[in-house]
Amino acid sequence: MPGRLPGRDDRTAGQWQALESWAAAGKLGVLRALIRDEDPPPPGGGYRGDLPLGWTKSLTHEVALALSMPAVSAGKLMWLAWNMQGALPGTGDLLARGELTLAKARAVDTALNLLSDQDAAEVIRGKPIQYRHSPSRMFSSVPPLASMTRRDAVLDTAQVTSTRVRPRFSRQ
């Protein structure tokens, strides 16, 4: 239809989203290939399947340069690539088929990284995790953060404006 913008109906938007997921899975696959092709892992390192359990900082910096991103971001992306095959192959498959977005795959990866290795293995096998204490009981014994008192002290000696904090005795 003339004058109609591409991607305006749900079906087309879904197709673009699937293409985006497929492209992300392809990029993660290339990163896994780079990890595989690097020299053997350092002493003490092993393999999970065909993926080494680590790689050099040099490779991380090479990826950062190629993707025009900070080395920290490149490292996180490389671990995501590794996890989508080494730890979460089902999630990686859903991403590659376009049934899962990269953001959702990242969320699954992040959530499992917060768990202990034993709990993460249980979740991957489809078993629910049993906590020893209720969440409210777990956090009731947490002491107040020391930074809160520091923050309160800073606010006591500062004048808060709409966009910035200025010392009370500034010469403005």
Side-chain angles (χ1 to χ4, degrees):
M1 173 182 267
R4 189 173 172 121
L5 295 173
R8 294 299 289 182
D9 62 62
D10 289 340
R11 190 187 67 198
T12 304
Q15 290 170 341
W16 281 111
Q17 187 171 11
L19 180 64
E20 182 181 349
S21 296
W22 180 77
K27 180 167 62 172
L28 296 178
V30 168
L31 294 177
R32 282 191 299 273
L34 290 172
I35 292 168
R36 268 187 221 99
D37 291 346
E38 195 182 31
D39 294 331
Y47 287 86
R48 180 174 290 169
D50 65 341
L51 289 172
L53 295 177
W55 52 87
T56 63
K57 286 184 181 180
S58 173
L59 180 60
T60 302
H61 286 277
E62 190 178 319
V63 168
L65 184 62
L67 297 178
S68 300
M69 63 174 39
V72 172
S73 299
K76 289 178 181 179
L77 188 63
M78 292 173 72
W79 276 114
L80 178 66
W82 191 95
N83 285 340
M84 288 298 110
Q85 181 180 341
L88 305 166
T91 306
D93 291 344
L94 289 172
L95 181 66
R97 289 195 307 258
E99 297 175 28
L100 190 70
T101 65
L102 180 61
K104 290 178 183 175
R106 218 183 274 270
V108 169
D109 180 56
T110 300
L112 287 179
N113 282 332
L114 296 175
L115 299 176
S116 69
D117 290 341
Q118 181 183 0
D119 287 343
E122 294 294 319
V123 169
I124 290 170
R125 279 182 276 205
K127 296 181 181 178
I129 302 172
Q130 298 295 321
Y131 289 101
R132 293 173 187 79
H133 305 288
S134 69
S136 60
R137 186 171 167 207
M138 287 171 34
F139 294 110
S140 65
S141 62
V142 175
L145 297 175
S147 62
M148 292 301 288
T149 56
R150 183 173 179 211
R151 181 181 145 261
D152 293 340
V154 168
L155 290 177
D156 284 346
T157 60
Q159 176 185 1
V160 179
T161 64
S162 62
T163 58
R164 60 185 174 179
V165 175
R166 285 188 286 181
R168 259 195 205 147
F169 301 107
S170 69
R171 294 184 184 191
Q172 293 182 351

